[in-house]
Short mmCIF file of all heavy atoms in Angstrom, two decimals:
data_model
loop_
_atom_site.label_atom_id
_atom_site.label_comp_id
_atom_site.label_asym_id
_atom_site.label_seq_id
_atom_site.Cartn_x
_atom_site.Cartn_y
_atom_site.Cartn_z
N ALA A 1030 -5.87 43.28 -55.72
CA ALA A 1030 -5.28 42.06 -56.14
C ALA A 1030 -4.36 41.46 -55.10
O ALA A 1030 -4.34 40.29 -54.78
CB ALA A 1030 -4.49 42.30 -57.46
N LYS A 1031 -3.62 42.31 -54.48
CA LYS A 1031 -2.69 41.88 -53.33
C LYS A 1031 -3.50 41.35 -52.18
O LYS A 1031 -3.18 40.29 -51.64
CB LYS A 1031 -1.79 43.05 -52.91
CG LYS A 1031 -0.93 42.68 -51.76
CD LYS A 1031 -0.03 43.94 -51.35
CE LYS A 1031 0.80 43.54 -50.16
NZ LYS A 1031 1.48 44.66 -49.53
N THR A 1032 -4.61 42.11 -51.86
CA THR A 1032 -5.42 41.58 -50.75
C THR A 1032 -6.06 40.21 -51.13
O THR A 1032 -6.12 39.37 -50.25
CB THR A 1032 -6.50 42.62 -50.44
OG1 THR A 1032 -5.90 43.85 -50.14
CG2 THR A 1032 -7.36 42.19 -49.24
N ALA A 1033 -6.49 40.13 -52.33
CA ALA A 1033 -7.07 38.84 -52.76
C ALA A 1033 -6.15 37.64 -52.68
O ALA A 1033 -6.49 36.59 -52.28
CB ALA A 1033 -7.67 38.98 -54.19
N ASN A 1034 -4.86 37.95 -53.07
CA ASN A 1034 -3.78 36.91 -53.01
C ASN A 1034 -3.57 36.49 -51.56
O ASN A 1034 -3.46 35.35 -51.25
CB ASN A 1034 -2.57 37.42 -53.68
CG ASN A 1034 -2.61 37.44 -55.14
OD1 ASN A 1034 -3.44 36.82 -55.76
ND2 ASN A 1034 -1.71 38.16 -55.75
N GLU A 1035 -3.43 37.50 -50.72
CA GLU A 1035 -3.15 37.17 -49.31
C GLU A 1035 -4.38 36.41 -48.68
O GLU A 1035 -4.26 35.52 -47.86
CB GLU A 1035 -2.94 38.46 -48.54
CG GLU A 1035 -1.59 39.01 -48.90
CD GLU A 1035 -1.27 40.39 -48.12
OE1 GLU A 1035 -2.22 40.90 -47.48
OE2 GLU A 1035 -0.19 40.91 -48.27
N THR A 1036 -5.58 36.85 -49.08
CA THR A 1036 -6.78 36.11 -48.62
C THR A 1036 -6.78 34.64 -49.09
O THR A 1036 -7.15 33.76 -48.34
CB THR A 1036 -8.09 36.80 -49.11
OG1 THR A 1036 -8.00 38.17 -48.55
CG2 THR A 1036 -9.30 36.22 -48.59
N THR A 1037 -6.38 34.41 -50.33
CA THR A 1037 -6.26 33.03 -50.83
C THR A 1037 -5.33 32.21 -49.96
O THR A 1037 -5.65 31.06 -49.69
CB THR A 1037 -5.85 33.09 -52.35
OG1 THR A 1037 -6.78 33.76 -53.10
CG2 THR A 1037 -5.73 31.70 -52.89
N ILE A 1038 -4.21 32.75 -49.68
CA ILE A 1038 -3.17 32.12 -48.90
C ILE A 1038 -3.74 31.82 -47.46
O ILE A 1038 -3.63 30.68 -46.98
CB ILE A 1038 -1.88 32.86 -48.78
CG1 ILE A 1038 -1.22 32.99 -50.22
CG2 ILE A 1038 -0.92 32.30 -47.77
CD1 ILE A 1038 -0.06 33.96 -50.25
N ARG A 1039 -4.38 32.77 -46.84
CA ARG A 1039 -4.87 32.65 -45.53
C ARG A 1039 -6.02 31.62 -45.52
O ARG A 1039 -6.13 30.87 -44.56
CB ARG A 1039 -5.31 34.00 -44.97
CG ARG A 1039 -4.14 34.84 -44.63
CD ARG A 1039 -4.55 36.10 -43.89
NE ARG A 1039 -3.33 36.78 -43.33
CZ ARG A 1039 -2.69 37.74 -44.00
NH1 ARG A 1039 -3.26 38.21 -45.09
NH2 ARG A 1039 -1.63 38.30 -43.46
N ASN A 1040 -6.88 31.64 -46.52
CA ASN A 1040 -7.99 30.67 -46.66
C ASN A 1040 -7.48 29.21 -46.73
O ASN A 1040 -8.08 28.31 -46.15
CB ASN A 1040 -8.91 31.02 -47.81
CG ASN A 1040 -9.75 32.25 -47.57
OD1 ASN A 1040 -9.87 32.68 -46.42
ND2 ASN A 1040 -10.30 32.81 -48.59
N ALA A 1041 -6.38 29.02 -47.48
CA ALA A 1041 -5.79 27.73 -47.58
C ALA A 1041 -5.33 27.18 -46.18
O ALA A 1041 -5.43 26.04 -45.90
CB ALA A 1041 -4.67 27.69 -48.62
N VAL A 1042 -4.68 28.11 -45.43
CA VAL A 1042 -4.25 27.74 -44.10
C VAL A 1042 -5.42 27.40 -43.26
O VAL A 1042 -5.40 26.32 -42.58
CB VAL A 1042 -3.45 28.92 -43.48
CG1 VAL A 1042 -3.11 28.62 -42.04
CG2 VAL A 1042 -2.17 29.06 -44.28
N VAL A 1043 -6.47 28.23 -43.18
CA VAL A 1043 -7.57 27.98 -42.28
C VAL A 1043 -8.30 26.75 -42.72
O VAL A 1043 -8.80 26.00 -41.88
CB VAL A 1043 -8.49 29.22 -42.35
CG1 VAL A 1043 -9.77 28.94 -41.59
CG2 VAL A 1043 -7.76 30.48 -41.71
N ALA A 1044 -8.41 26.50 -44.04
CA ALA A 1044 -9.12 25.27 -44.52
C ALA A 1044 -8.41 23.99 -44.06
O ALA A 1044 -8.97 22.94 -43.88
CB ALA A 1044 -9.22 25.27 -46.00
N ARG A 1045 -7.03 24.02 -43.88
CA ARG A 1045 -6.31 22.89 -43.49
C ARG A 1045 -6.63 22.59 -41.96
O ARG A 1045 -6.50 21.38 -41.58
CB ARG A 1045 -4.84 23.15 -43.66
CG ARG A 1045 -3.96 22.00 -43.23
CD ARG A 1045 -4.07 20.89 -44.17
NE ARG A 1045 -2.97 19.94 -44.07
CZ ARG A 1045 -3.02 18.81 -43.32
NH1 ARG A 1045 -4.15 18.56 -42.63
NH2 ARG A 1045 -2.01 18.06 -43.33
N LEU A 1046 -6.92 23.49 -41.21
CA LEU A 1046 -7.17 23.33 -39.76
C LEU A 1046 -8.63 23.00 -39.53
O LEU A 1046 -9.49 23.78 -39.93
CB LEU A 1046 -6.70 24.55 -38.96
CG LEU A 1046 -5.21 24.84 -39.12
CD1 LEU A 1046 -4.92 26.18 -38.43
CD2 LEU A 1046 -4.32 23.75 -38.50
N ALA A 1047 -8.87 21.96 -38.82
CA ALA A 1047 -10.29 21.50 -38.66
C ALA A 1047 -11.06 22.38 -37.68
O ALA A 1047 -12.29 22.52 -37.79
CB ALA A 1047 -10.28 19.98 -38.19
N ASP A 1048 -10.42 22.90 -36.69
CA ASP A 1048 -11.14 23.70 -35.72
C ASP A 1048 -10.71 25.23 -35.83
O ASP A 1048 -9.98 25.56 -36.67
CB ASP A 1048 -10.85 23.19 -34.32
CG ASP A 1048 -9.32 22.95 -34.01
OD1 ASP A 1048 -8.58 23.43 -34.86
OD2 ASP A 1048 -9.03 22.44 -32.96
N ASN A 1049 -11.19 25.92 -34.89
CA ASN A 1049 -10.94 27.38 -34.95
C ASN A 1049 -9.70 27.80 -34.19
O ASN A 1049 -9.77 28.59 -33.20
CB ASN A 1049 -12.14 28.11 -34.38
CG ASN A 1049 -13.41 27.93 -35.23
OD1 ASN A 1049 -13.33 27.73 -36.42
ND2 ASN A 1049 -14.54 27.90 -34.56
N ARG A 1050 -8.54 27.26 -34.52
CA ARG A 1050 -7.35 27.66 -33.89
C ARG A 1050 -6.85 29.03 -34.25
O ARG A 1050 -6.24 29.70 -33.50
CB ARG A 1050 -6.23 26.64 -34.20
CG ARG A 1050 -6.55 25.26 -33.58
CD ARG A 1050 -5.63 24.31 -34.06
NE ARG A 1050 -6.30 23.06 -33.71
CZ ARG A 1050 -5.70 22.07 -33.03
NH1 ARG A 1050 -4.46 22.16 -32.71
NH2 ARG A 1050 -6.37 20.97 -32.80
#
Side-chain angles (χ1 to χ4, degrees):
K1031 178 181 177 187
T1032 303
N1034 286 341
E1035 290 177 354
T1036 301
T1037 300
I1038 294 168
R1039 288 188 171 96
N1040 287 343
V1042 171
V1043 172
R1045 177 71 163 95
L1046 300 171
D1048 52 7
N1049 297 328
R1050 293 172 195 232

